[in-house]
Amino acid sequence: NIWVPDSETKEPLAVMFWIFGGAFSTGGIDESYYDMSAMANDTGCIIVSANYRLNVCGFLDLRDVIPGASANNGLRDIVFALKWVNENIAYFGGDSENVTVFGQSSGAALALALLAVPSAKPYFSKIISQSACGDSFYSPEQAKDVTSMWLDAMGNPTAQELTEMSTKKLVSKNGSLDVKVALKYGINCTFNPVIDGDFLVCHPLQAAEENTDKKLLMGCTRDEASLFFFFILPPLTLIPVVQHLVTPNYSDEIKKNVIRDLNYPSTKALIQLGTERMYRYPLTKIADNYSEVTDVYTYRYDYQPRLVKLLGLGAFHITDIPILFNSYLDLGLSKNVIFGSKNDLDVGKRMRAYWGNFAKYGCPDENWIAYNKNNRATLIIDTTDSMVSDPYGERMALYENYVSPWEK
């Protein structure tokens, strides 16, 4: 899909390339909440979105099973789409030298992954990462392990049987696979990019020195994991396997440290721990590394539409999407409506201005202080926005010795 803004300028327009999320498993660019009309017109940028292979066909590593198979097919599709944009966006009035890749959730993780894909380097100049699941990458050994689990669930079909199998059958055992992977690796995505050392040469955390020319805007919502753990109430929180899903493979020392000041194992504590492990800590590590070599801007999204606040969910994972894209906000401007209030619209308009300025000029706003390891400057996006320094400092220090699964 391509959205071209109403513009009278004769200069080439900045381009924003959207990668949708969905745990590397579901989703598509035909979803109505990914209508980029408001995004294009308010940013003044051309917006492009493209589908990519998902699930078994996109992110299961079958190289040892099917001769000639490749890993990371979904990510390869994104690079191919970016190459198409590079070669053709000028026909739509776009500037192929000013392309910002932005995504949310697994889409944000894929945007960051591009920093570790050498073949993608010519096709973009900036990254916007919204709620990236930064630990959702597999080492080659983990990828083989998950593939083995899947093959067992499928009855160990031959390579020929797999290549002739219907899509419906290929995904028929994914429910049981999700459970097996979660029990071993904790709550995370079942299908993930694999650090194959060839196409995806390393984790994006490790690629800062190769990306001194790429600028980053990164952030997450305040209560990301509320979407996953809000309904896990006592006594379920007392069950060891439930606790393992939130803090998998933690050393005794790290677990003791991170739960010390929390009312553990309450639902609120599980939400905070899930938010930190899956989103906040990986983001902080990446921002620390890249701010040493390039411009980095970070944010935390705290805003809650009235309906979300009434439900008590907090600023959960994906709650920023309808606000950013002005989706489902046509219910009027009355302060009495539960979704679509004037505040909803105002927050969305400010976010589109920030995102557009970053895409066009490399700086979201003159008052948005650039991030570094000393200040960890973070914009809090809420009814009114504010800059704070190191909002998670004490908590992040508790994870200093945490080893991400893909590092093992």
Side-chain angles (χ1 to χ4, degrees), residues 29-51:
I29 60 174
D30 58 341
E31 304 286 2
S32 58
Y33 42 81
Y34 294 149
D35 182 341
M36 301 288 181
S37 301
M39 192 74 183
N41 285 322
D42 286 357
T43 62
C45 299
I46 292 176
I47 315 294
V48 181
S49 64
N51 280 321

Side-chain angles (χ1 to χ4, degrees), residues 211-240:
N211 288 284
T212 58
D213 58 336
K214 312 294 187 190
K215 298 183 179 183
L216 277 68
L217 191 159
M218 311 170 60
C220 60
T221 67
R222 188 188 64 198
D223 310 295
E224 292 277 5
S226 177
L227 181 65
F228 315 118
F229 302 122
F230 183 76
F231 299 104
I232 300 180
L233 303 173
L236 293 177
T237 58
L238 302 174
I239 300 174

Side-chain angles (χ1 to χ4, degrees), residues 271-333:
I271 290 171
Q272 180 168 339
L273 290 169
T275 297
E276 289 173 346
R277 176 180 68 83
M278 298 165 67
Y279 302 97
R280 192 170 293 160
Y281 182 63
L283 179 150
T284 300
K285 287 174 57 178
I286 292 171
D288 282 353
N289 275 15
Y290 279 79
S291 65
E292 295 284 318
V293 299
T294 189
D295 294 341
V296 175
Y297 299 89
T298 68
Y299 71 89
R300 187 183 77 199
Y301 181 89
D302 285 16
Y303 181 69
Q304 301 174 64
R306 190 171 301 245
L307 175 59
V308 174
K309 189 174 291 187
L310 286 173
L311 293 173
L313 285 165
F316 63 88
H317 190 66
I318 210 170
T319 192
D320 53 328
I321 289 299
I323 300 297
L324 176 63
F325 295 147
N326 201 38
S327 306
Y328 307 138
L329 300 183
D330 55 356
L331 303 179
L333 298 179

Side-chain angles (χ1 to χ4, degrees), residues 46-96:
I46 292 176
I47 315 294
V48 181
S49 64
N51 280 321
Y52 55 95
R53 279 172 286 180
L54 300 164
N55 211 290
V56 172
C57 297
F59 294 98
L60 189 67
D61 188 356
L62 292 168
R63 288 176 295 170
D64 290 343
V65 183
I66 300 175
S70 56
N72 297 307
N73 291 326
L75 184 56
R76 290 174 187 272
D77 292 344
I78 290 168
V79 175
F80 187 82
L82 283 168
K83 182 175 184 290
W84 184 93
V85 168
N86 180 265
E87 295 172 350
N88 294 282
I89 202 63
Y91 295 113
F92 299 86
D95 183 355
S96 62

